[in-house]
Amino acid sequence: MRKIATLLYLFIFFFSCESSIKKQAAVVLIPEVSPAELTLSCYEMLDVDSFVKLRVTKVTDSIFGYLNYSLAGKDKNTGTIKGVIQGDVFYGVFDFLSEGISSSREVAFKIQEGSLIEGFGDLEMYGNQAKFKNKALLTFAESIVLQQVICNESECLEDFGFKKSILRDSCINVSGLTPRLNRLENGAMVNGDPAYVIFSKDLVTAEVFFPKEKEGFVLTKGKDGSWTNEAYQLIAWKGFVLQKDGTPIFGGQ
């Protein structure tokens, strides 16, 4: 009887140990999944005649940055983005200016190693904001893939509409400025990136910002009421007209 009790005890002991080992092994085999994240960095997609650029400038509970779309055949959109990461997707709200008009739309990027894949889905309008109808149905088809790159550490964020202003002695976002001057050829408006103008408080000095230049240049008001330097003249006529060596090159209001 005593032998039977001893064998029964040993059986229970070994069964308990084996069960405990299996449970421990099961816990150890569960992999830890690291959440997707974004750091202070830059991403871009460059094509022959298109580009998309994203710069992450602040990471807290939310992600902040700048986003710039320049896609062939479409209006250019430059502005700010704010959003959060859910799973492996960065969902953000993109506030931007397009052709001088303020708008907003939701965007989504799937985070992969060193790249961001933009997601697309049906949108619906709420005022001036476009929102996804159903985020669960977004597709990430790799038509727009941004690769992580080294950030351009220039004084101003030229890639996102900022230029160095001589009058204001700071970097300013010119995309929302008025007057906004459109390109002119033979006196008619043509397609092309616009120029922008700001004035000093006393209107004695004007500063013009050309599309491809990193900073503005200054014109001084003369007795005839126009602003000039050695090569350019800004005339207040039906808004403003900028001439180079007497030829109108930009005009608008």
Side-chain angles (χ1 to χ4, degrees):
M1 189 72 179
R2 191 176 295 175
K3 289 182 179 179
I4 294 174
T6 301
L7 290 172
L8 182 60
Y9 170 78
L10 290 174
F11 175 79
I12 294 172
F13 173 78
F14 285 117
F15 179 80
S16 299
C17 289
E18 185 179 359
S19 178
S20 176
I21 291 170
K22 286 182 178 179
K23 288 180 181 179
Q24 291 178 14
V27 172
V28 172
L29 290 175
I30 296 175
E32 293 185 4
V33 179
S34 300
E37 63 179 4
L38 289 177
T39 59
L40 302 180
S41 52
C42 295
Y43 297 83
E44 66 179 33
M45 181 205 76
L46 297 178
D47 206 342
V48 176
D49 51 2
S50 300
F51 67 78
V52 181
K53 297 185 179 184
L54 169 67
R55 181 163 186 156
V56 179
T57 58
K58 185 178 180 181
V59 178
T60 56
D61 292 338
S62 299
I63 309 292
F64 300 83
Y66 295 97
L67 184 58
N68 186 357
Y69 287 90
S70 180
L71 301 176
K74 297 184 178 181
D75 294 338
K76 295 184 178 181
N77 303 157
T78 303
T80 59
I81 185 171
K82 176 184 177 181
V84 296
I85 296 174
Q86 297 177 4
D88 62 349
V89 178
F90 170 48
Y91 295 100
V93 175
F94 178 37
D95 295 313
F96 60 95
L97 282 170
S98 179
E99 301 298 317
I101 300 174
S102 296
S103 300
S104 178
R105 69 179 174 90
E106 289 186 331
V107 294
F109 294 92
K110 179 173 286 189
I111 304 170
Q112 291 190 348
E113 294 183 5
S115 64
L116 299 175
I117 303 173
E118 185 165 8
F120 297 92
D122 292 337
L123 296 167
E124 52 189 354
M125 296 300 300
Y126 294 86
N128 69 335
Q129 185 178 41
K131 294 186 176 183
F132 291 121
K133 286 185 177 181
N134 190 339
K135 292 180 180 178
L137 298 180
L138 295 182
T139 58
F140 298 86
E142 300 192 7
S143 59
I144 294 183
V145 180
L146 283 64
Q147 303 294 338
Q148 189 169 6
V149 296
I150 297 174
C151 294
N152 177 14
E153 299 299 341
S154 59
E155 184 178 1
C156 300
L157 298 173
E158 291 93 358
D159 288 342
F160 304 95
F162 288 83
K163 296 181 184 291
K164 177 68 175 179
S165 169
I166 299 170
L167 281 181
R168 299 185 184 177
D169 191 28
S170 63
C171 297
I172 63 173
N173 189 342
V174 301
S175 58
L177 296 177
T178 53
R180 179 178 184 272
L181 308 182
N182 299 302
R183 287 186 180 273
L184 300 177
E185 286 186 8
N186 300 320
M189 187 174 70
V190 296
N191 292 330
D193 294 333
Y196 297 91
V197 182
I198 61 173
F199 295 92
S200 59
K201 291 183 179 180
D202 57 8
L203 299 180
V204 170
T205 307
E207 184 173 10
V208 179
F209 300 92
F210 279 162
K212 304 300 182 182
E213 300 299 326
K214 293 184 178 181
E215 62 180 37
F217 62 88
V218 171
L219 307 174
T220 304
K221 194 172 187 178
K223 293 181 179 180
D224 63 352
S226 66
W227 296 262
T228 62
N229 65 9
E230 294 83 0
Y232 297 96
Q233 182 180 27
L234 182 67
I235 303 170
W237 183 77
K238 293 184 178 180
F240 294 92
V241 175
L242 180 67
Q243 296 183 346
K244 181 179 181 181
D245 299 327
T247 301
I249 56 173
F250 286 96
Q253 298 180 355

